[in-house]
Amino acid sequence: MEFWSNFWSVIWTFFWAFAFIAYLFALFAIIGDLFRDRALNGWWKALWIVFLLFVPFVTALVYLVARGDGMAERGQREASEAKRATDDYIRAVAAVSSADEVAKAKTLLDAGTISPDEFAQLKSRALA
């Protein structure tokens, strides 16, 4: 109970927990970037991983300084490719052809829901 009674011990524990979690985030970002980088040779990737295992803090700092700009570029490129793929998928799913629009309007006309004038407007709008 003495540990929890000392306020600064608790603060110090939270600080080191934060530092450790921040290091883990950086470590996972580095490993992800290593495997994402197509220009880096497999042996260089293995060497970085070995150094990350045996000299983790120094290697992480060196990697972030030496290859930080490349990490940002690769992350940005991956995000833009994901956005482009999502946009293409949405366009493919949401795209309705003009023939579909005219067919829907014809169905409404045959059902008596719309008048021939409204059908003509819908048809001209779909074909425009």
Side-chain angles (χ1 to χ4, degrees), residues 1-7 9:
M1 275 309 203
E2 184 179 323
F3 174 75
W4 288 107
S5 64
N6 189 348
F7 176 74
S9 295

Side-chain angles (χ1 to χ4, degrees), residues 3-128:
F3 174 75
W4 288 107
S5 64
N6 189 348
F7 176 74
W8 291 110
S9 295
V10 173
I11 296 298
W12 194 243
T13 303
F14 277 118
F15 171 76
W16 282 111
F18 173 79
F20 180 70
I21 292 170
Y23 169 72
L24 287 179
F25 271 98
L27 186 67
F28 290 134
I30 290 170
I31 291 171
D33 183 63
L34 277 171
F35 288 108
R36 187 183 318 132
D37 189 4
R38 294 183 185 124
L40 196 60
N41 186 347
W43 289 106
W44 283 108
K45 291 178 184 182
L47 188 63
W48 277 111
I49 295 291
V50 167
F51 276 110
L52 278 171
L53 289 175
F54 292 111
V55 192
F57 293 110
V58 174
T59 306
L61 287 175
V62 169
Y63 189 90
L64 291 173
V65 169
R67 298 179 48 88
D69 292 337
M71 284 179 73
E73 291 170 6
R74 283 184 289 279
Q76 186 178 21
R77 183 175 56 237
E78 184 175 301
S80 66
E81 288 173 3
K83 183 181 181 329
R84 189 176 325 115
T86 302
D87 291 344
D88 291 344
Y89 173 75
I90 291 171
R91 271 191 228 99
V93 171
V96 178
S97 69
S98 57
D100 291 337
E101 290 289 327
V102 173
K104 288 178 187 176
K106 179 68 173 152
T107 304
L108 291 174
L109 177 65
D110 292 342
T113 307
I114 60 173
S115 67
D117 292 333
E118 291 171 324
F119 172 73
Q121 285 178 344
L122 289 173
K123 183 178 176 182
S124 66
R125 192 178 316 141
L127 297 176

